[in-house]
Amino acid sequence: MNYVGRFAPTPSGPLHAGSLVAALASWLDARAHGGRWLVRIEDVDRPRCQPGAAEVILGQLARCALVPDEAPLWQSTRGEAYEAALAQLRHAGLAYDCACTRREIDEALVRQGRAHERYGERIYPGTCRAGVPARLRHRPARAVRLLTLRGGVPQRIEWQDRRLARQDQQEPRVHQEHAVQDVTAEVGDFVLKRADGCWAYQLAVVVDDAAQGITHVVRGEDLADNTARQILLQRDLGLPTPLYLHTPLVRGADGAKLSKQNGARALDLADPVAALQAAAAVLGLPPGVHAAAESPAQWLAAAVPAWAGIISGSEPFTR
Ligand code: GLU
């Protein structure tokens, strides 16, 4: 099959141990399928991006011999494609302007008795769904949202997720997991373009996965919850849906997910083979099998059959 995979880091800082796991898994899965592996720099969220971080990430990947088969795609160069996708959604009556501030959204939710949980999803109350109300028209539209309630029908998305079992399981296996999300009820009309003019991750990722011909998305479990939104957008835009595989997260000593936000340290790449070996352990690859590897490239070559063993028999190789 014509497999194309990708690693899509946000350059908000250098890679940490958790992001190397996602990078390695996506690379191994591509190679185990005889496919291609691409890198996309997801630099649309400008306030979160750090100058120079993308170059640091590419350098870290190169040090681990994780070299993409094409020059990386930078989302900051892709505005026209996102604009065209948004125009298509507007034309279909599926995108609308929203003038609400975050505070107004919260107040409306309180009035509806649906105040959001502190860290829960802020489900848009629908204020601007039928057009920006007259009282808000004096100010510029803030964001563009996707209409998820259509003719009174909520959008329920079902899909099969390839899931990698956690590292504490004896025999790591990729299994098919049936997943379902009522996007209308559980997420609501989500943002496609933000009030600050930045493109939202959901729109950018969908447009670019299609533009790059991505057939398989392999990424961290923390992103699994975005999958239904992305499939809905793919359908709305007439784009193909890749297969998704979500990998276990690296957790800190406190059990919390390791992230740049909670101060995860940059990867120590003094010994890249050791870093790869640590990432492989999270994926459940057998320990020490590649201990004799003298270079990251040699280690990677030896890891491909081990990954193929993990995925074999547990997934359809065709879509
Ligand atoms: N840019 C996203 C992140 O760094 C990943 C996007 C994806 O893999 O779909 O968290």
Side-chain angles (χ1 to χ4, degrees):
M1 78 175 299
N2 190 18
Y3 182 116
V4 187
R6 49 64 158 190
F7 175 57
T10 299
S12 53
L15 292 184
H16 55 72
S19 29
L20 183 63
V21 172
L24 175 62
S26 64
W27 187 92
L28 286 172
D29 202 52
R31 292 299 181 249
H33 286 83
R36 285 154 26 83
W37 184 73
L38 309 181
V39 169
R40 183 167 70 229
I41 302 296
E42 300 214 317
D43 55 349
V44 275
D45 188 345
R46 290 188 299 266
R48 268 185 70 205
C49 293
Q50 261 182 36
E55 290 76 8
V56 171
I57 290 172
L58 294 171
Q60 290 175 302
L61 290 172
R63 182 134 174 79
C64 294
L66 297 169
V67 180
D69 295 322
E70 276 175 23
L73 181 69
W74 295 66
Q75 288 193 322
S76 52
T77 67
R78 300 274 302 147
E80 273 177 34
Y82 307 146
E83 206 65 76
L86 186 60
Q88 189 182 336
L89 293 169
R90 280 192 195 273
H91 187 72
L94 296 177
Y96 65 88
D97 289 334
C98 170
C100 300
T101 62
R102 197 167 288 187
R103 185 158 158 204
E104 286 162 346
I105 293 173
D106 286 345
E107 287 167 357
L109 288 172
V110 170
R111 279 197 300 279
Q112 295 181 358
R114 300 196 299 150
H116 73 96
E117 285 166 29
R118 193 145 158 61
Y119 295 106
E121 200 76 54
R122 185 186 267 105
I123 298 171
Y124 184 63
T127 316
C128 298
R129 207 179 254 161
V132 175
R135 68 187 158 81
L136 301 180
R137 267 186 224 147
H138 63 279
R139 56 163 95 122
R142 295 179 55 81
V144 185
R145 293 181 181 273
L146 185 78
L147 182 71
T148 61
L149 185 67
R150 301 181 183 170
V153 182
Q155 298 302 300
R156 188 171 177 273
I157 300 289
E158 281 186 67
W159 75 103
Q160 289 290 121
D161 209 323
R162 299 165 67 208
R163 281 286 207 164
L164 183 59
R166 296 191 163 281
Q167 117 208 55
D168 42 26
Q169 308 226 336
Q170 286 292 309
E171 287 259 316
R173 274 274 169 271
V174 170
H175 60 279
Q176 296 285 324
E177 198 168 280
H178 177 79
V180 59
Q181 188 177 61
D182 180 334
V183 178
T184 309
E186 294 173 50
V187 180
D189 292 355
F190 58 89
V191 170
L192 302 169
K193 191 174 190 181
R194 298 185 342 198
D196 63 2
C198 290
W199 294 99
Y201 157 65
Q202 309 293 355
L203 182 75
V205 84
V206 163
V207 169
D208 287 340
D209 278 341
Q212 293 188 286
I214 303 301
T215 59
H216 291 66
V217 170
V218 178
R219 61 186 178 190
E221 200 175 81
D222 53 326
L223 292 161
D225 183 53
N226 295 285
T227 309
R229 266 169 276 188
Q230 293 171 13
I231 293 174
L232 178 60
L233 270 177
Q234 287 152 4
R235 292 180 185 169
D236 290 344
L237 291 165
L239 302 173
T241 291
L243 285 173
Y244 289 91
L245 186 157
H246 290 95
T247 57
L249 301 180
V250 177
R251 296 189 185 273
D254 58 355
K257 175 204 149 197
L258 211 59
S259 76
K260 290 165 201 161
Q261 281 72 32
N262 71 13
R265 270 182 295 138
L267 264 179
D268 177 3
L269 288 176
D271 180 353
V273 169
L276 286 167
Q277 188 70 56
V282 177
L283 296 171
L285 266 67
V289 167
H290 323 298
E294 275 164 21
S295 69
Q298 220 181 60
W299 184 93
L300 285 171
V304 172
W307 178 262
I310 289 179
I311 61 176
S312 71
S314 53
E315 63 150 343
F317 268 71
T318 52
R319 295 199 293 149

